[in-house]
Amino acid sequence: MTIRKNIRSIFARFSRASIAPICAAFSGLVLVLCVLEGFHFKNKVDAEYYRQTENIAQILLVDFDNDAATANAILERVAAELPEGSVSQPDRQALHRLLQRYVLHPSMIGPAILDRDGRLIASATAYPAPDLSLKDRNTFRVHADGTASGLYVSAPLQGVLAREPEIQFSRALRDKSGAFSGVVLLSYRLSYFIRLYEKLKVSDRGLAALTGRDGVVRVRTLNGAIGYGAEVSRMPLVYNRILAGEKSGTFDSRSGIDEVTRVGSFVVSPTTPFYVAVG
């Protein structure tokens, strides 16, 4: 009884008006704790998304860099084995035999050789090579104009021999004096890259894209649909950050393509002028 009287006495000292601020402060404290817990939960979810998307981006980029390294090694080897002055019509048969030694995988088309005027001289795909001029294609022009100093990777284009979409890797040929004498090129079937992106476990709102520093998307999956080439909308999502020198990072913003806000990661290649963004 004494304890109950003491409790009543304590509460009797406080009016309803004095209890109200205490209740309000307690409610505010609970609200703050709930908000903090919400932020903590969101940060945990975002961290997991960032980790997963970075892993996928790394895998995609390493896979592409390996293909680019393989293509570059083949092109360098072919260039090293070309006899001086052999990039001409009379040497087509010998060049065809040389090129056939470097057909390593069904995903590859070529290699092939263009002369200094952009005409197709020899190809591993066909003998004799059809009389074609490719001087208007970037694969030839960037080397003839001197704007590409090493390996060049084209945007997806329609192949003239295989008659299917492909991505071309090319290098300039030079004579002993260092003068431009032609181009050696090798293509990968675009279907080879598409199959990899089709297998990705991304959501219906997901994005995964291989893009060059020229802004052209080589291949991407967006909302479950595959797209590629210059006809695909540019993605300003992280492009300016990469041009500014960032090598990797995360994003939480609208894509600028379909106005969907995505959380993800991007990784820039250390060996080729490409990056992969996954969100």
Side-chain angles (χ1 to χ4, degrees):
M1 291 296 293
T2 303
I3 295 175
R4 291 181 180 177
K5 288 181 179 180
N6 290 336
I7 293 175
R8 289 196 193 100
S9 176
I10 292 172
F11 277 100
R13 296 177 183 176
F14 297 95
S15 65
R16 291 184 178 181
S18 62
I19 292 176
I22 297 175
C23 293
F26 180 75
S27 299
L29 177 61
V30 172
L31 178 61
V32 170
L33 291 175
C34 289
V35 171
L36 291 176
E37 181 62 26
F39 277 120
H40 178 67
F41 177 76
K42 180 183 182 299
N43 289 337
K44 284 183 63 177
V45 173
D46 287 351
E48 181 62 19
Y49 274 126
Y50 292 143
R51 185 186 66 82
Q52 292 181 6
T53 54
E54 183 181 12
N55 288 342
I56 295 173
Q58 289 281 10
I59 291 171
L60 293 174
L61 191 60
V62 168
D63 187 81
F64 174 77
D65 281 349
N66 287 341
D67 291 329
T70 298
N72 191 46
I74 291 174
L75 298 178
E76 287 183 328
R77 187 69 180 270
V78 170
E81 292 192 25
L82 287 177
E84 176 71 14
S86 64
V87 184
S88 59
Q89 290 286 350
D91 301 291
R92 289 182 299 171
Q93 188 171 14
L95 293 174
H96 175 69
R97 288 196 298 266
L98 169 64
L99 297 177
Q100 279 192 310
R101 291 160 44 192
Y102 293 97
V103 182
L104 304 181
H105 194 277
S107 63
M108 293 181 177
I109 303 171
I113 293 175
L114 311 179
D115 67 12
R116 61 169 52 89
D117 297 318
R119 302 207 68 82
L120 180 64
I121 297 298
S123 170
T125 305
Y127 179 78
D131 186 17
L132 296 171
S133 174
L134 302 179
K135 67 178 181 179
D136 293 329
R137 291 204 167 188
N138 280 346
T139 308
F140 173 80
R141 283 171 34 219
V142 295
H143 299 296
D145 298 341
T147 55
S149 58
L151 180 70
Y152 174 75
V153 184
S154 77
L157 48 79
Q158 187 73 13
V160 296
L161 296 180
R163 300 293 181 183
E164 61 182 284
E166 60 191 51
I167 295 177
Q168 293 184 342
F169 297 75
S170 60
R171 292 188 69 92
L173 295 172
R174 301 192 178 278
D175 59 24
K176 288 183 177 179
S177 68
F180 174 75
S181 62
V183 169
V184 56
L185 61 89
L186 171 71
S187 302
Y188 276 96
R189 289 179 164 86
L190 186 62
S191 58
Y192 169 72
F193 296 103
I194 287 177
R195 281 195 294 270
L196 180 60
Y197 282 74
E198 286 177 335
K199 293 177 181 177
L200 290 177
K201 302 298 182 181
V202 296
S203 68
D204 292 340
R205 289 293 187 180
L207 160 73
L210 171 70
T211 309
R213 286 182 178 270
D214 55 6
V216 178
V217 176
R218 268 48 178 188
V219 59
R220 81 174 181 203
T221 175
L222 175 67
N223 299 337
I226 296 292
Y228 56 86
E231 72 275 10
V232 174
S233 300
R234 301 296 176 92
M235 295 189 300
L237 194 63
V238 297
Y239 185 61
N240 291 334
R241 292 170 61 184
I242 289 165
L243 292 184
E246 292 190 47
K247 302 302 181 184
S248 63
T250 60
F251 56 86
D252 182 355
S253 58
R254 292 183 182 274
S255 65
I257 307 168
D258 51 10
E259 298 305 316
V260 173
T261 299
R262 292 184 172 86
V263 174
S265 305
F266 69 91
V267 181
V268 179
S269 169
T271 58
T272 60
F274 286 85
Y275 68 93
V276 171
V278 179

